Structure formats: C-alpha cells, structure tokens
Amino acid sequence: MSTMQPTSGHSQACCNVPPATVKDYKPKGRYIDLDGMQCFLSVSTADTTGPSTATSAIFIIYDIFGFSPQILQGADILAHADAKTGHEYQVYMPDFFLGKPYSPSDFPPDTEEKQKKLGAFFSGPANPPSTASKIPSLISQITSLSPNIQKWGSLGMCWGGKIVSLTAQAKSNTPFSAAAEVHPAMVDPEDAKGIEIPVCMLASGDEDGEAVKKFAESLGKGGEQNHFETFGDQVHGWMAARGELEKDSVRKEFERGYQTLLDFYHKTL
C-alpha cells in the first residue's frame, strides 16, 4: 500500500492517518445561520437558545473532516467546563466546507485518485488564504448578533492551525487577542514573525519538532504568555477527528489538552 508524502508543511501522519471512529456524542450546543453558512454555537447559559452574557468568545477552525464528534465535544468543553468559576466563553465554529468536508472514506490517500482528490480539496474548498479572508466578515456578523463580545480567541485544528496563523497577523489588524493551534499543519516560522498576540501550540508526536521550535522562536510580541507543548505519545489529530477516545490514554490527554487551552484563554481573554 502506498502512502502520500507530506507536502507544504503537512506531517506524514496528517496526510495518511484516517479519522477515528467514536461513539455518538450528543452536542450541548446548537447551530445558527451566518448568511447561509451553518455555525455551531456552544454557550454555558442554562437556556442555550438565548443570548450569552459571556464577554469573551472562541472562534474554532476545524480540521478537514468538519464537525466530527470529537471536535463538537471539544467545543462544548471550552464553553462549559469552567463556566461556574467565572470563566465563560461563547464558542463559535463555522462550517467553512458548507456541509461537504473531506470524506474519511478517501483516507488514507493510498491511490493516485485519492491523492488527486486531496490535492484538489486543499487548493479548492480548503485553500488557506481564501478561508482566512472570510473570517473578518464572520466575526463581524457574530458580533452584531452577540454585542456582549469584547475579546476573541482563535483555535485551529490541523489544517485550521494554518488559518489561525494567517488571521493572527498584526499587519492585517487581527480581530483576535489570543491564538491557539493544536496538532497544526503547515507550520511556517515565517508566519510567526508577524504575530504579536499570545500563542498556544499543542503539538503531537507526529509534528515536525524543529518547525514547531523555530515557530516559537520567531514569534513577535506577547512571548510571556505563549505556551508551547508537545504531547509526544499522541498521534496527529488526537484532539480532533483522529482522537480514539475509547482508549483511556487518549481520552486523558484529550481532556488535558482542552484544559491546557482553557488555562491559556483564562490568562489571555
């Protein structure tokens, strides 16, 4: 069986490890419409259909598999886990792929046809600059619906990590006060040079450790609040679609990863 070689900063695992199969998860959040784009919203209010009083929000960019049960669970953790301690967040996750995420059946891309499909997906619906360009408008729409929001944090998973790097650039007047990436793809130290807000990066054992190190070293301002950590015994995607949560060792690190994100957001939002 052939495997697809990593390109453009993708790790070998990113290009070849299929998403995990997990038991059904019943999300606590709901879906709203943003000018024709579905968006998952999770808030900690007793009535999740009503407005949230939280003044900080987290904008999630999922991985190429879209609304996986693991990512929905992660969004709910961020919205609900620490709400009783006074740390409330409105959590938004738009469906950039408009209901057509990359199909798990095409992973791993072990045939020429599947490799072409993956390449077309990254140059089409998942094109990073194109995706990043949509975010300011989405932030504006959400803020008009929820005017309580005063600060935004971003969170990108795998492919979404690249989008976070692009939208955190100081020269583009980023709307974000803090940025986080977990098992990120396409890690580029050149992107880091333009980031002047705090960054949290949680890498798996599959990411290019040298690229992650250089990214951390290349960051601009805000270094005292940065957090970089490698979960060396976890696979690329353990906090998203590839997280095999039935395994105790994965579930514990999944939970620790999200707690690490919460600790970061508590300090920066």
Side-chain angles (χ1 to χ4, degrees), residues 29-255:
R30 61 189 173 95
Y31 293 93
I32 62 173
D33 180 80
L34 296 178
D35 195 23
M37 180 183 290
Q38 191 177 53
C39 177
F40 181 73
L41 163 63
S42 191
V43 296
S44 61
T45 52
D47 178 9
T48 58
T49 63
S52 171
T53 57
T55 59
S56 294
I58 299 171
F59 189 100
I60 299 179
I61 303 102
Y62 51 31
D63 62 16
I64 64 170
F65 301 109
F67 291 134
S68 65
Q70 301 95 319
I71 283 185
L72 294 175
Q73 186 172 353
D76 285 338
I77 289 172
L78 294 174
H80 294 264
D82 284 352
K84 293 182 179 179
T85 66
H87 295 290
E88 291 186 275
Y89 302 106
Q90 301 182 46
V91 178
Y92 294 86
M93 181 163 47
D95 185 14
F96 288 104
F97 302 144
L98 303 177
K100 297 180 180 180
Y102 200 74
S103 174
S105 65
D106 287 325
F107 248 74
D110 49 11
T111 67
E112 184 176 353
E113 180 182 0
K114 289 181 179 180
Q115 290 172 15
K116 288 182 178 178
K117 282 185 178 180
L118 185 61
F121 191 76
F122 276 108
S123 63
N127 178 266
S130 176
T131 303
S133 70
K134 299 173 184 176
I135 290 178
S137 175
L138 292 170
I139 293 287
S140 179
Q141 289 182 60
I142 294 170
T143 303
S144 68
L145 295 172
S146 187
N148 288 334
I149 299 174
Q150 298 175 10
K151 281 189 173 184
W152 280 96
S154 60
L155 171 60
M157 313 277 188
C158 186
W159 164 83
K162 181 64 174 182
I163 314 305
V164 164
S165 289
L166 295 177
T167 56
Q169 299 296 309
K171 65 181 180 181
S172 63
N173 296 315
T174 178
F176 300 112
S177 298
E181 304 181 19
V182 299
H183 35 78
M186 297 171 276
V187 177
D188 186 351
E190 288 298 313
D191 290 337
K193 294 178 181 179
I195 299 176
E196 298 181 357
I197 58 175
V199 173
C200 175
M201 183 176 286
L202 306 182
S204 75
D206 292 325
E207 270 74 72
D208 182 341
E210 188 62 25
V212 171
K213 179 183 177 182
K214 289 181 178 179
F215 189 97
E217 294 172 346
S218 300
L219 285 169
K221 301 176 182 177
E224 65 278 358
Q225 292 180 306
N226 293 341
H227 181 88
F228 280 71
E229 184 175 352
T230 297
F231 289 63
D233 62 346
Q234 296 302 306
V235 301
H236 177 85
W238 94 95
M239 289 179 65
R242 292 171 173 131
E244 298 184 80
L245 302 186
E246 289 82 5
K247 295 182 178 180
D248 287 345
S249 60
V250 177
R251 187 182 69 255
K252 288 178 181 178
E253 292 297 77
F254 176 92
E255 293 170 350

